[in-house]
PDB file of all heavy atoms in Angstrom:
ATOM      1  N   PHE O  77    -120.872 -71.616   9.853  1.00 84.00           N
ATOM      2  CA  PHE O  77    -121.348 -72.946  10.264  1.00 84.00           C
ATOM      3  C   PHE O  77    -122.294 -72.885  11.416  1.00 84.00           C
ATOM      4  O   PHE O  77    -122.166 -72.077  12.335  1.00 84.00           O
ATOM      5  CB  PHE O  77    -120.135 -73.802  10.662  1.00 84.00           C
ATOM      6  CG  PHE O  77    -119.243 -74.171   9.500  1.00 84.00           C
ATOM      7  CD1 PHE O  77    -118.172 -73.336   9.156  1.00 84.00           C
ATOM      8  CD2 PHE O  77    -119.454 -75.313   8.785  1.00 84.00           C
ATOM      9  CE1 PHE O  77    -117.357 -73.656   8.082  1.00 84.00           C
ATOM     10  CE2 PHE O  77    -118.648 -75.642   7.700  1.00 84.00           C
ATOM     11  CZ  PHE O  77    -117.603 -74.838   7.355  1.00 84.00           C
ATOM     12  N   CYS O  78    -123.300 -73.776  11.405  1.00 83.00           N
ATOM     13  CA  CYS O  78    -124.260 -73.935  12.509  1.00 83.00           C
ATOM     14  C   CYS O  78    -123.541 -74.552  13.690  1.00 83.00           C
ATOM     15  O   CYS O  78    -122.793 -75.525  13.577  1.00 83.00           O
ATOM     16  CB  CYS O  78    -125.419 -74.826  12.055  1.00 83.00           C
ATOM     17  SG  CYS O  78    -126.518 -75.304  13.385  1.00 83.00           S
ATOM     18  N   GLU O  79    -123.783 -74.050  14.879  1.00 81.00           N
ATOM     19  CA  GLU O  79    -123.113 -74.560  16.085  1.00 81.00           C
ATOM     20  C   GLU O  79    -123.616 -75.922  16.492  1.00 81.00           C
ATOM     21  O   GLU O  79    -122.969 -76.650  17.202  1.00 81.00           O
ATOM     22  CB  GLU O  79    -123.270 -73.600  17.247  1.00 81.00           C
ATOM     23  CG  GLU O  79    -124.721 -73.440  17.715  1.00 81.00           C
ATOM     24  CD  GLU O  79    -124.834 -72.587  18.994  1.00 81.00           C
ATOM     25  OE1 GLU O  79    -123.932 -72.725  19.865  1.00 81.00           O
ATOM     26  OE2 GLU O  79    -125.806 -71.821  19.071  1.00 81.00           O
ATOM     27  N   HIS O  80    -124.778 -76.318  16.004  1.00 84.00           N
ATOM     28  CA  HIS O  80    -125.418 -77.577  16.413  1.00 84.00           C
ATOM     29  C   HIS O  80    -125.033 -78.705  15.484  1.00 84.00           C
ATOM     30  O   HIS O  80    -124.580 -79.736  15.913  1.00 84.00           O
ATOM     31  CB  HIS O  80    -126.919 -77.411  16.511  1.00 84.00           C
ATOM     32  CG  HIS O  80    -127.406 -76.344  17.441  1.00 84.00           C
ATOM     33  ND1 HIS O  80    -127.300 -76.502  18.794  1.00 84.00           N
ATOM     34  CD2 HIS O  80    -127.934 -75.121  17.212  1.00 84.00           C
ATOM     35  CE1 HIS O  80    -127.748 -75.401  19.392  1.00 84.00           C
ATOM     36  NE2 HIS O  80    -128.147 -74.586  18.463  1.00 84.00           N
ATOM     37  N   CYS O  81    -125.250 -78.501  14.196  1.00 85.00           N
ATOM     38  CA  CYS O  81    -125.029 -79.623  13.202  1.00 85.00           C
ATOM     39  C   CYS O  81    -123.802 -79.408  12.351  1.00 85.00           C
ATOM     40  O   CYS O  81    -123.458 -80.199  11.510  1.00 85.00           O
ATOM     41  CB  CYS O  81    -126.249 -79.809  12.361  1.00 85.00           C
ATOM     42  SG  CYS O  81    -126.662 -78.415  11.279  1.00 85.00           S
ATOM     43  N   LYS O  82    -123.103 -78.228  12.575  1.00 84.00           N
ATOM     44  CA  LYS O  82    -121.880 -77.913  11.850  1.00 84.00           C
ATOM     45  C   LYS O  82    -122.101 -77.808  10.333  1.00 84.00           C
ATOM     46  O   LYS O  82    -121.191 -78.075   9.541  1.00 84.00           O
ATOM     47  CB  LYS O  82    -120.789 -78.946  12.093  1.00 84.00           C
ATOM     48  CG  LYS O  82    -120.541 -79.223  13.585  1.00 84.00           C
ATOM     49  CD  LYS O  82    -120.122 -77.972  14.320  1.00 84.00           C
ATOM     50  CE  LYS O  82    -119.799 -78.252  15.764  1.00 84.00           C
ATOM     51  NZ  LYS O  82    -120.956 -78.644  16.592  1.00 84.00           N
ATOM     52  N   THR O  83    -123.315 -77.488   9.948  1.00 88.00           N
ATOM     53  CA  THR O  83    -123.671 -77.338   8.515  1.00 88.00           C
ATOM     54  C   THR O  83    -123.397 -75.925   8.046  1.00 88.00           C
ATOM     55  O   THR O  83    -123.621 -74.963   8.795  1.00 88.00           O
ATOM     56  CB  THR O  83    -125.119 -77.699   8.279  1.00 88.00           C
ATOM     57  OG1 THR O  83    -125.348 -79.019   8.725  1.00 88.00           O
ATOM     58  CG2 THR O  83    -125.491 -77.590   6.813  1.00 88.00           C
ATOM     59  N   LEU O  84    -122.971 -75.801   6.825  1.00 89.00           N
ATOM     60  CA  LEU O  84    -122.775 -74.459   6.236  1.00 89.00           C
ATOM     61  C   LEU O  84    -124.091 -73.722   6.174  1.00 89.00           C
ATOM     62  O   LEU O  84    -125.121 -74.298   5.803  1.00 89.00           O
ATOM     63  CB  LEU O  84    -122.223 -74.563   4.817  1.00 89.00           C
ATOM     64  CG  LEU O  84    -120.712 -74.734   4.653  1.00 89.00           C
ATOM     65  CD1 LEU O  84    -120.364 -74.979   3.202  1.00 89.00           C
ATOM     66  CD2 LEU O  84    -119.976 -73.500   5.159  1.00 89.00           C
ATOM     67  N   ARG O  85    -124.066 -72.458   6.535  1.00 86.00           N
ATOM     68  CA  ARG O  85    -125.318 -71.682   6.429  1.00 86.00           C
ATOM     69  C   ARG O  85    -125.463 -71.151   5.007  1.00 86.00           C
ATOM     70  O   ARG O  85    -124.520 -71.152   4.214  1.00 86.00           O
ATOM     71  CB  ARG O  85    -125.318 -70.542   7.384  1.00 86.00           C
ATOM     72  CG  ARG O  85    -124.408 -69.364   7.054  1.00 86.00           C
ATOM     73  CD  ARG O  85    -124.775 -68.187   7.973  1.00 86.00           C
ATOM     74  NE  ARG O  85    -123.828 -67.094   7.841  1.00 86.00           N
ATOM     75  CZ  ARG O  85    -123.962 -66.100   6.984  1.00 86.00           C
ATOM     76  NH1 ARG O  85    -124.978 -66.111   6.113  1.00 86.00           N
ATOM     77  NH2 ARG O  85    -123.107 -65.087   6.958  1.00 86.00           N
ATOM     78  N   GLU O  86    -126.600 -70.583   4.721  1.00 86.00           N
ATOM     79  CA  GLU O  86    -126.838 -69.947   3.437  1.00 86.00           C
ATOM     80  C   GLU O  86    -126.286 -68.511   3.472  1.00 86.00           C
ATOM     81  O   GLU O  86    -126.594 -67.773   4.376  1.00 86.00           O
ATOM     82  CB  GLU O  86    -128.355 -69.919   3.138  1.00 86.00           C
ATOM     83  CG  GLU O  86    -128.950 -71.343   2.981  1.00 86.00           C
ATOM     84  CD  GLU O  86    -130.471 -71.268   2.908  1.00 86.00           C
ATOM     85  OE1 GLU O  86    -131.073 -70.492   3.662  1.00 86.00           O
ATOM     86  OE2 GLU O  86    -131.065 -72.022   2.122  1.00 86.00           O
ATOM     87  N   PRO O  87    -125.466 -68.169   2.517  1.00 84.00           N
ATOM     88  CA  PRO O  87    -124.876 -66.800   2.487  1.00 84.00           C
ATOM     89  C   PRO O  87    -125.968 -65.795   2.361  1.00 84.00           C
ATOM     90  O   PRO O  87    -127.026 -65.988   1.751  1.00 84.00           O
ATOM     91  CB  PRO O  87    -123.958 -66.806   1.263  1.00 84.00           C
ATOM     92  CG  PRO O  87    -123.709 -68.274   0.978  1.00 84.00           C
ATOM     93  CD  PRO O  87    -124.978 -68.962   1.381  1.00 84.00           C
ATOM     94  N   ASP O  88    -125.707 -64.611   2.938  1.00 78.00           N
ATOM     95  CA  ASP O  88    -126.632 -63.443   2.798  1.00 78.00           C
ATOM     96  C   ASP O  88    -126.054 -62.522   1.760  1.00 78.00           C
ATOM     97  O   ASP O  88    -124.826 -62.442   1.545  1.00 78.00           O
ATOM     98  CB  ASP O  88    -126.745 -62.697   4.117  1.00 78.00           C
ATOM     99  CG  ASP O  88    -127.449 -63.524   5.190  1.00 78.00           C
ATOM    100  OD1 ASP O  88    -128.307 -64.370   4.863  1.00 78.00           O
ATOM    101  OD2 ASP O  88    -127.119 -63.347   6.373  1.00 78.00           O
ATOM    102  N   ASP O  89    -126.906 -61.741   1.141  1.00 69.00           N
ATOM    103  CA  ASP O  89    -126.459 -60.801   0.102  1.00 69.00           C
ATOM    104  C   ASP O  89    -125.612 -59.709   0.707  1.00 69.00           C
ATOM    105  O   ASP O  89    -124.759 -59.126  -0.019  1.00 69.00           O
ATOM    106  CB  ASP O  89    -127.659 -60.179  -0.603  1.00 69.00           C
ATOM    107  CG  ASP O  89    -128.420 -61.153  -1.478  1.00 69.00           C
ATOM    108  OD1 ASP O  89    -127.770 -62.183  -1.884  1.00 69.00           O
ATOM    109  OD2 ASP O  89    -129.626 -60.950  -1.725  1.00 69.00           O
ATOM    110  N   ASN O  90    -125.763 -59.458   1.992  1.00 68.00           N
ATOM    111  CA  ASN O  90    -124.990 -58.381   2.645  1.00 68.00           C
ATOM    112  C   ASN O  90    -123.791 -58.880   3.412  1.00 68.00           C
ATOM    113  O   ASN O  90    -123.299 -58.176   4.304  1.00 68.00           O
ATOM    114  CB  ASN O  90    -125.896 -57.540   3.514  1.00 68.00           C
ATOM    115  CG  ASN O  90    -126.551 -58.352   4.642  1.00 68.00           C
ATOM    116  OD1 ASN O  90    -126.455 -59.560   4.620  1.00 68.00           O
ATOM    117  ND2 ASN O  90    -127.176 -57.679   5.578  1.00 68.00           N
ATOM    118  N   ASP O  91    -123.359 -60.131   3.155  1.00 80.00           N
ATOM    119  CA  ASP O  91    -122.147 -60.607   3.861  1.00 80.00           C
ATOM    120  C   ASP O  91    -120.985 -59.684   3.570  1.00 80.00           C
ATOM    121  O   ASP O  91    -120.678 -59.371   2.403  1.00 80.00           O
ATOM    122  CB  ASP O  91    -121.831 -62.048   3.367  1.00 80.00           C
ATOM    123  CG  ASP O  91    -122.613 -63.066   4.166  1.00 80.00           C
ATOM    124  OD1 ASP O  91    -122.718 -62.952   5.398  1.00 80.00           O
ATOM    125  OD2 ASP O  91    -123.166 -63.989   3.544  1.00 80.00           O
ATOM    126  N   ASN O  92    -120.296 -59.302   4.606  1.00 87.00           N
ATOM    127  CA  ASN O  92    -119.236 -58.301   4.527  1.00 87.00           C
ATOM    128  C   ASN O  92    -117.902 -58.978   4.229  1.00 87.00           C
ATOM    129  O   ASN O  92    -117.560 -59.979   4.893  1.00 87.00           O
ATOM    130  CB  ASN O  92    -119.203 -57.543   5.858  1.00 87.00           C
ATOM    131  CG  ASN O  92    -118.149 -56.440   5.866  1.00 87.00           C
ATOM    132  OD1 ASN O  92    -116.963 -56.733   5.934  1.00 87.00           O
ATOM    133  ND2 ASN O  92    -118.622 -55.225   5.826  1.00 87.00           N
TER     134      ASN O  92
END
Side-chain angles (χ1 to χ4, degrees):
F77 292 89
C78 170
E79 66 173 321
H80 302 289
C81 64
K82 309 300 183 293
T83 301
L84 277 173
R85 75 168 172 88
E86 297 171 319
D88 295 328
D89 291 337
N90 60 350
D91 277 314
N92 182 287

